[in-house]
Amino acid sequence: MSFNAHNTRQDFAIFAGSDVAFLDSAASAQKPRAVLQAMADFAESHYANVHRGVYRWADEATQAYEDARQAVARFLNAPSPETIVYTKGATEGINLVAHSWGQSLRAGDEIIITEAEHHANIVPWFLLSQRQGVVLKWARVDDDGVLDLDHLQSLISAKTRMVAVGHVSNVTGTINPVAEIVRLAHDAGALCLLDGCQAVVHEAVDVQALGCDFYVFSGHKLYGPTGIGILYGKAEHLDKMPPFQGGGEMIESVSQDRITFAAPPLRFEAGTPPIIETVGLMAAIDYVGQFDRQAIARHERALAHQASKAIVDMGGRILGTAPDKAAIISFTVDGVHAHDLAQILDQCGVYVRAGSHCAEPLHTRFGVTSSARASFGLYNTADDVEALIKGLAKAKSLLMA
Ligand SMILES: Cc1ncc(COP(=O)(O)O)c(C=O)c1O
């Protein structure tokens, strides 16, 4: 279907009768009726626990749960549904890898991350380094927010076990050269985990073409529900990894003195999983997939470009000025605190995020403690940019008077 943001906006009940300029999709995107309806239909007519009962609803629920896994595998071009693990979100996916795969590490082994990471791709590795004496190394970004690939390469050594980087920055929108990073990691015998939270929203991702070992994302940023995320892992790694959590359905057999575990992905899905949410995620993937994704990206980027230009014209500073960026802009205005800015924008019906966006090291790198962030989704239009620009002018006149 051809893409038109004015039409897609109509698909979202939350915008009905509202002229709110919602510019915080990078934190969590709104959900189209198709997603909410799919979850309601499933809950009202097929709901039961999965992989447990033998009655009809249990069968239908299990089928829907596994159909969604197949849809995710197709979405990422993963080689098989067995490489797709359901998690609570990207954060849990990275924690799973750090805890489970991380057990194979020895003191002195090295993990490389970057200064631009979301805390979700910092803290699990930091905790691992504390637990097991693993060394955490930080690759630099330059003044434009672009990853210094030479520096990253110089950090890679025979002791490197993992290079974990964001595909797209949630602060600057900068797109990392991830295929190249995967190659550098593999050349050194290390693995590569990609945090795709902000990437799957803005571009088609092919994990086989990228060659990465792990890829994570969260459903709620992709117009799906909260409480569901995806960890893709190459079978050769998942097969060897011990469980992350213990409980029902992740086992093969349990006796008083011996427990054996199920094969992946169920080995990593202890307890009752988010069932309705998998149906919602599949609906979100279908929803996004009906449009030309490049057309969406072009539209979103044009809006972000227009907003960036206006912010700079007003004397604001954009954090991260790489030419090729996804539609996320974080900015500061001298003498104005980002929270004050966001509050005045709120009064104008413009919703942006303020703070460090769970990326404190990157803010430190830019020499600021906080910024305001406008992030664009497939329902944003030029009206939203206009509202943002008007709101900023008002904020400036009030706060700098
Ligand atoms: C780049 C990136 N990684 C990880 C996360 C964490 O996602 P979640 O809170 O859904 O686990 C986010 C969320 O903002 C993000 O933007």
Side-chain angles (χ1 to χ4, degrees), residues 26-27 89-92 118 120 168 170 195 197-198 218 220-221 353:
T91 302
E92 192 178 59
H118 186 283
V168 169
N170 68 309
D195 171 359
C197 257
Q198 302 295 343
S218 291
H220 68 97
K221 295 181 199 284
R353 174 138 176 213

Side-chain angles (χ1 to χ4, degrees), residues 36-117:
L36 304 175
Q37 194 60 53
M39 292 199 292
D41 287 350
F42 172 72
E44 287 172 9
S45 49
H46 310 284
Y47 182 73
N49 211 328
V50 293
H51 286 297
R52 287 156 170 84
V54 291
Y55 50 90
R56 183 164 63 86
W57 286 348
D59 266 355
E60 288 170 355
T62 303
Q63 190 62 48
Y65 184 74
E66 293 304 329
D67 283 352
R69 200 191 299 275
Q70 297 217 12
V72 174
R74 282 193 300 275
F75 179 66
L76 292 178
N77 193 31
S80 75
E82 288 75 32
T83 60
I84 301 297
V85 179
Y86 288 129
T87 64
K88 184 156 68 91
T91 302
E92 192 178 59
I94 300 172
N95 275 282
L96 192 163
V97 176
H99 271 266
S100 171
W101 170 84
Q103 287 177 38
S104 66
L105 301 191
R106 300 281 159 270
D109 284 346
E110 295 173 357
I111 290 177
I112 299 174
I113 57 175
T114 83
E115 287 180 319
E117 299 314 309

Side-chain angles (χ1 to χ4, degrees), residues 52 59 217 344 400:
R52 287 156 170 84
D59 266 355
F217 74 89
I344 293 179
M400 298 181 79

Side-chain angles (χ1 to χ4, degrees), residues 13-14 16 20 23 37 144 155 158-159 181 206 243 283 298 309 337 351 356:
I14 200 163
V20 157
L23 298 175
Q37 194 60 53
D144 294 329
L155 297 179
K159 291 184 183 160
I181 295 170
D206 180 335
R298 272 196 304 276
K309 202 173 157 311
H337 196 282
Y351 297 175
S356 67

